[in-house]
Amino acid sequence: MQLLSKTSGAFRVLGGAVSARQRHALMAQQGNRCASLLFSTKRDAPSPIKHGLVVGIVSVSDTHELYGAEAAGLTAAQQQQIVRQVHAVGSKAREGSVQVVYARDGDDEKYVAVVGLGSKEDAHNASGRGEVVRTAVANGVRQLCAQNTALRNVTVGPMPCHQASAEGAKLALYKFDGFKTKNTGSSSSSSDGGKNEGVAVTHLASQGSGSGAGSWDTGVVYAEAQNLARDLMNTPANFMTPTIFADRVREALAGIDGVSVSVYDKAWAEAQRMGGLLAVSRGSDEPLRFVEVVYSGGDAGSGVELALVGKGVTYDTGGYSLKPSRYMDMMKGDMGGGATVVSAIRAIAQLRLPINVVATVPLCENMVNGSATKVSDVYTSRAGMTVEVMNTDAEGRIILADALNYTIETHQPRTIVDVATLTGAMVVALGEVYTGVFTPSPRLWGAIEQASSTSDEPVWRMPLHDRWDAMLRSPVADLSNIGNKAEAGACTAAAFLRQFVVDRSRTLPLAEKPMVLRAQNNDESLPRWAHMDIAGPMEASASTGYHQKGLSGRPTRMLVDLARILATDPLP
């Protein structure tokens, strides 16, 4: 053990063993901030260290050792210094913990974030360790940047899972501050979210699972996809209109092999009979758009294995069913479903997954003017069903219904998943942790659950039932856009969407439902369909680990993993 003395604001390492009692006395003498001062970046060196290192630490019986220390470029002397300093504050290599230390061997000096990976046995068993690594590396990168503003480069040492390591590093560095006035006095007119000026992340991947650099690079693609979704969602609505969103998608996917992007306008929507999209967009001066992205990574004759449909309401006032002012600022992110599906398909294409995927996003604003759709208005959907609008704030399902019908009819996918910030009821049910998933297909649920496990994006299966279909009956139209009772709001929203996915020739009209009502939980007919309500996980209420406070870009990584699973093991 080594003792520290404070000289001119900097702590120096002094020789000599120190007992636990002496250590506690030192901490009491210096105050509660002793632990953080122990790892202070202040030193006798004239210039600050501009390079940081993240290295893991694991517990071995009653002691600790650094994970991949030699591969990380740490000399034996530096390793000893690091372990001693970590021991000085009683670190237990607890999963996700972080201690920032300073190690020097001659002229070789390093500013090191030591992150807890748990036991050595667990660390070498990479299966299921992704979240531990992702969180630990993110905490390490955060602490290095927070404690040393001069930092310009961070190297991440070997970790049990290189992909998760890259994801944690890149996601932790995300910032959305492009609209803040800079020191030059100028102000930003467009988003620079996620650019993290001056800080670069590199890696050392000589041990751990995966294929080293390749696995790290895969993680970078996943993280950059989520950061793109974060950018789209966090950008203020006056800088993220339907037109701008469509332009950003074109820019983000330009030049990627196998990808085509089409953007359609109001005249096209009228020709396509998209009565729902037209009805919602009527209240805004901003023109609607419809984005269609096609990625051809599979065999030309194999058809579309997966279609992703994302809600794209770039700002939602609620229309005449006006939202309360509290939390309305978050409604700039009501196109989160659209943001995640276009970001996911970009990553799918960059990874060159052997699968054919389509993504569609109906884009509009839900505003109020003299032309806006009123409560009790009736419109005709693209599927030909008439819908009575009993709540103009239930607009997401209206535009999604047209997009689902178009995507199924045009591309005939085997699996279709819609993603939407759809209901407050889902926030009440699951909070911001879980994505609520509705699907009648056990096989599709199994694939989604597997993607949830590999991406560490929690999901929870929600029920579908004939009773909620019956609650959508309208006295004047084929359907109401909300249930006729103040209950099961997320479930009736999913039931509404399902009316535009199922083959109408196989079902009875709502008015003719059988007397015996049953759960809809065992239907493998094509296209297999799932609805993901992301109203909860759309937002991170605090910055922890790799999560940044604000609109989250979730569950982009899970959607990429779902495509990867279907590419290697298509559903029968």
Side-chain angles (χ1 to χ4, degrees):
M1 196 70 68
Q2 293 178 316
L3 187 64
L4 304 179
S5 69
K6 188 175 182 182
T7 305
S8 302
F11 278 86
R12 288 175 168 273
V13 178
L14 303 178
V18 57
S19 67
R21 183 175 180 180
Q22 290 173 313
R23 183 174 72 244
H24 291 307
L26 173 65
M27 293 181 71
Q29 178 185 351
Q30 300 294 346
N32 292 332
R33 294 182 64 246
C34 178
S36 61
L37 290 171
L38 170 65
F39 306 126
S40 172
T41 60
K42 296 180 181 179
R43 313 170 332 280
D44 292 337
S47 60
I49 300 176
K50 296 185 178 181
H51 178 265
L53 172 67
V54 178
V55 65
I57 190 169
V58 295
S59 60
V60 185
S61 298
D62 295 331
T63 185
H64 303 90
E65 65 180 49
L66 299 179
Y67 187 90
E70 292 182 3
L74 294 171
T75 66
Q78 289 171 330
Q79 293 179 48
Q80 291 176 359
Q81 290 176 35
I82 291 170
V83 172
R84 286 172 179 169
Q85 291 179 72
V86 171
H87 281 173
V89 292
S91 174
K92 303 295 184 182
R94 183 168 55 89
E95 293 177 351
S97 64
V98 58
Q99 300 288 353
V100 178
V101 303
Y102 169 68
R104 186 170 187 171
D105 187 359
D107 292 333
D108 183 11
E109 54 184 9
K110 285 185 170 62
Y111 187 52
V112 186
V114 185
V115 298
L117 300 177
S119 71
K120 183 176 182 179
E121 180 181 1
D122 288 340
H124 284 292
N125 180 19
S127 177
R129 303 296 292 173
E131 186 68 357
V132 173
V133 172
R134 194 179 294 111
T135 301
V137 170
N139 287 340
V141 171
R142 275 179 179 275
Q143 286 298 315
L144 286 173
C145 293
Q147 295 189 27
N148 185 354
T149 57
L151 208 65
R152 289 296 174 264
N153 180 273
V154 175
T155 297
V156 179
M159 292 288 163
C161 179
H162 302 314
Q163 178 178 333
S165 177
E167 291 172 8
K170 290 290 186 178
L171 292 173
L173 282 172
Y174 178 84
K175 290 188 296 184
F176 188 86
D177 59 1
F179 290 94
K180 289 192 174 185
T181 303
K182 308 299 182 184
N183 294 331
T184 59
S186 62
S187 61
S188 171
S189 61
S190 64
S191 167
D192 286 329
K195 297 298 187 264
N196 299 292
E197 297 174 352
V199 180
V201 178
T202 56
H203 74 114
L204 297 166
S206 63
Q207 74 178 67
S209 66
S211 57
S215 185
W216 170 276
D217 292 342
T218 297
V220 170
V221 171
Y222 273 69
E224 289 180 346
Q226 184 171 341
N227 283 342
L228 171 61
R230 283 168 159 177
D231 271 357
L232 294 171
M233 295 173 71
N234 281 299
T235 301
N238 59 325
F239 287 96
M240 193 52 64
T241 64
T243 300
I244 297 173
F245 184 103
D247 290 343
R248 288 288 299 275
V249 173
R250 277 195 178 116
E251 293 170 5
L253 278 78
I256 302 177
D257 291 343
V259 173
S260 66
V261 180
S262 300
V263 178
Y264 305 112
D265 59 9
K266 179 181 178 181
W268 177 89
E270 290 173 337
Q272 288 290 330
R273 315 176 313 281
M274 291 189 172
L277 179 56
L278 292 165
V280 174
S281 66
R282 283 171 52 186
S284 175
D285 293 336
E286 290 290 342
L288 69 85
R289 291 290 184 266
F290 190 98
V291 171
E292 181 176 42
V293 183
V294 178
Y295 167 62
S296 302
D299 295 336
S302 62
V304 174
E305 184 66 34
L306 175 64
L308 302 171
V309 180
K311 173 184 171 183
V313 178
T314 57
Y315 196 78
D316 181 17
T317 67
Y320 277 109
S321 303
L322 191 66
K323 291 180 180 293
S325 59
R326 190 181 184 190
Y327 305 129
M328 197 183 280
D329 59 316
M330 290 293 101
M331 290 302 98
K332 66 184 179 181
D334 207 28
M335 27 61 69
T340 58
V341 301
V342 297
S343 299
I345 200 170
R346 186 181 78 159
I348 291 165
Q350 289 174 327
L351 295 171
R352 298 185 177 182
L353 297 182
I355 185 174
N356 295 326
V357 183
V358 170
T360 57
V361 184
L363 292 157
C364 65
E365 293 181 334
N366 187 23
M367 306 289 281
V368 181
N369 64 17
S371 301
T373 294
K374 302 172 289 296
V375 175
S376 81
D377 280 1
V378 174
Y379 73 90
T380 302
S381 68
R382 189 182 187 279
M385 288 185 287
T386 56
V387 178
E388 183 183 20
V389 180
M390 293 304 293
N391 187 325
T392 61
D393 194 25
E395 85 299 332
R397 68 200 70 179
I398 292 175
I399 67 172
L400 281 173
D402 280 349
L404 284 166
N405 179 262
Y406 167 82
T407 306
I408 291 170
E409 182 180 288
T410 304
H411 298 285
Q412 299 180 343
R414 291 176 57 81
T415 296
I416 187 165
V417 177
D418 73 76
V419 186
T421 53
L422 209 62
T423 65
M426 187 57 72
V427 182
V428 173
L430 299 179
E432 67 181 52
V433 177
Y434 283 83
T435 291
V437 179
F438 297 83
T439 179
S441 166
R443 289 174 177 168
L444 179 53
W445 167 247
I448 292 171
E449 197 171 28
Q450 183 181 348
S452 165
S453 177
T454 55
S455 64
D456 295 299
E457 283 280 8
V459 295
W460 194 264
R461 190 177 185 184
M462 301 294 289
L464 291 163
H465 200 279
D466 289 340
R467 187 174 298 277
W468 292 316
D469 288 1
M471 288 171 62
L472 296 171
R473 292 171 182 161
S474 164
V476 300
D478 296 330
L479 287 169
S480 169
N481 77 321
I482 60 171
N484 56 18
K485 295 182 180 180
E487 63 185 40
C491 299
T492 52
F496 179 88
L497 292 173
R498 185 173 177 272
Q499 308 307 310
F500 299 87
V501 174
V502 296
D503 183 352
R504 303 305 302 172
S505 66
R506 297 190 296 106
T507 62
L508 293 171
L510 291 184
E512 301 177 28
K513 280 292 181 183
M515 295 300 294
V516 179
L517 303 179
R518 295 183 172 86
Q520 302 163 355
N521 58 10
N522 193 23
D523 184 358
E524 298 293 350
S525 58
L526 300 182
R528 292 185 177 90
W529 163 74
H531 160 57
M532 295 185 179
D533 192 333
I534 62 168
M538 70 174 279
E539 180 188 7
S541 57
S543 294
T544 58
Y546 57 91
H547 301 290
Q548 296 282 357
K549 184 177 181 179
L551 296 166
S552 68
R554 296 173 56 200
T556 301
R557 292 182 296 106
M558 180 178 66
L559 297 176
V560 180
D561 267 356
L562 178 60
R564 179 184 53 78
I565 290 166
L566 296 179
T568 53
D569 188 17
L571 299 179

